[in-house]
């Protein structure tokens, strides 16, 4: 013999919704607590905390397409600076490609990884280097704009094949100095990517 449920339907629905709301709140609180208590990854380079956001800029790709801050909002970007007619600029490109090749085992990261060299010098060289691989963008433009971007990103006036790591949203997360080899830079990038939820600002 079945006993008749003495609670009305709306009472049961209210209780059910209350239980669901309590579960969601507890889950969110737990995630926030875990995020606050988790330690940032240890890398060979330098983490930038809190992450910086670059101001708007406008440069051009080797074939003339405009490239600005909005192009950094999607995916991950490795950015370096250099004159392709000099050894430092060519080394910067080599280091970018080396890191890209060494993260081949991280399919999700590599699929959205963009390589950017902000270059000065001959436009023909820009086109030649841009044809090395689809993920590589060679940017040029007004010398004042390039100098302002170098200053905003924290690079001095001297040539350096150092690499900067930008996350989705255009956030500057890390600096990989010229003293790091390709294997170490790749490990740094993997660690940063794996900890991106911790490193990036919380979305409202």
């Amino acid at each position: 013999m079945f006993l008749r449920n003495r609670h009305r339907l709306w009472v049961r629905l209210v209780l059910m919704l209350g239980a669901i709301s309590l579960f969601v709140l507890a889950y969110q609180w737990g995630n926030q607590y875990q995020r606050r208590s988790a330690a940032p990854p240890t890398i060979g380079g330098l983490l930038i905390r809190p992450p910086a956001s670059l101001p708007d800029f406008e440069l051009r790709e080797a074939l003339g397409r405009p490239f600005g801050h909005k192009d950094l909002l999607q995916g991950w970007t490795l950015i370096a600076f250099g004159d392709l007619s000099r050894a430092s600029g060519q080394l910067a490109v080599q280091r970018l490609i080396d890191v890209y090749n060494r993260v081949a085992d991280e399919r999700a990261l590599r699929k959205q990884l963009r390589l950017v060299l902000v270059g000065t010098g001959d436009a023909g060289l820009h086109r030649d280097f841009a044809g090395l691989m689809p993920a590589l963008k060679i940017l040029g433009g007004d010398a004042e704009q390039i100098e302002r971007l170098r200053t905003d990103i924290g690079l001095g006036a001297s040539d350096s094949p150092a690499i900067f790591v930008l996350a989705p949203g255009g956030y500057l997360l890390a600096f990989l100095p010229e003293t790091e080899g390709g294997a170490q830079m790749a490990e740094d990038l993997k660690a940063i990517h794996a900890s991106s939820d911790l490193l990036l600002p919380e979305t409202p």
Side-chain angles (χ1 to χ4, degrees):
M1 181 178 179
F2 294 98
L3 295 177
R4 185 177 179 182
N5 194 326
R6 290 175 292 179
H7 294 294
R8 294 186 179 181
L9 178 60
W10 68 270
V11 174
R12 297 201 302 274
L13 288 175
V14 168
L15 291 173
M16 185 183 302
L17 289 174
I20 292 172
S21 300
L22 184 62
F23 172 80
V24 170
L25 287 172
Y27 180 79
Q28 290 178 341
W29 181 86
N31 280 349
Q32 290 173 0
Y33 177 79
Q34 186 177 20
R35 179 186 174 110
R36 287 194 302 268
S37 61
T42 300
I43 65 171
L46 176 67
L47 285 176
I48 297 172
R49 304 291 302 272
S53 183
L54 296 178
D56 197 16
F57 64 91
E58 185 174 326
L59 298 174
R60 291 195 171 272
E61 295 182 15
L63 297 180
R65 177 186 174 275
F67 189 102
H69 183 267
K70 66 180 185 300
D71 294 287
L72 302 175
L73 300 181
Q74 302 296 322
W76 289 77
T77 305
L78 300 181
I79 185 169
F81 295 77
D83 185 339
L84 288 174
S85 65
R86 298 181 179 178
S88 60
Q90 296 170 21
L91 178 58
V93 171
Q94 180 183 334
R95 282 162 54 83
L96 288 169
I97 295 174
D98 192 13
V99 178
Y100 183 84
N101 289 335
R102 289 176 184 270
V103 297
D105 57 331
E106 297 282 347
R107 295 182 62 185
L109 170 60
R110 179 159 164 168
K111 186 177 180 181
Q112 54 179 326
L113 185 59
R114 178 191 303 110
L115 311 176
V116 171
L117 179 87
V118 180
T120 54
D122 182 65
L125 270 178
H126 286 199
R127 289 190 292 271
D128 291 342
F129 274 84
L132 289 176
M133 60 193 311
L136 178 63
K137 309 290 182 186
I138 307 294
L139 305 184
D142 180 73
E144 184 177 338
Q145 282 252 6
I146 293 176
E147 188 58 36
R148 183 164 62 87
L149 182 58
R150 288 176 65 102
T151 301
D152 291 336
I153 209 168
L155 190 64
S158 59
D159 286 340
S160 169
I163 292 175
F164 296 85
V165 180
L166 285 89
Y171 290 104
L172 181 60
L173 289 189
F175 166 72
L176 308 180
E178 59 186 282
T179 53
E180 278 198 282
Q184 180 62 62
M185 289 192 295
E187 291 304 312
D188 282 0
L189 180 57
K190 291 176 186 179
I192 293 167
H193 180 256
S195 301
S196 58
D197 287 346
L198 171 65
L199 298 174
L200 288 171
E202 291 188 49
T203 54

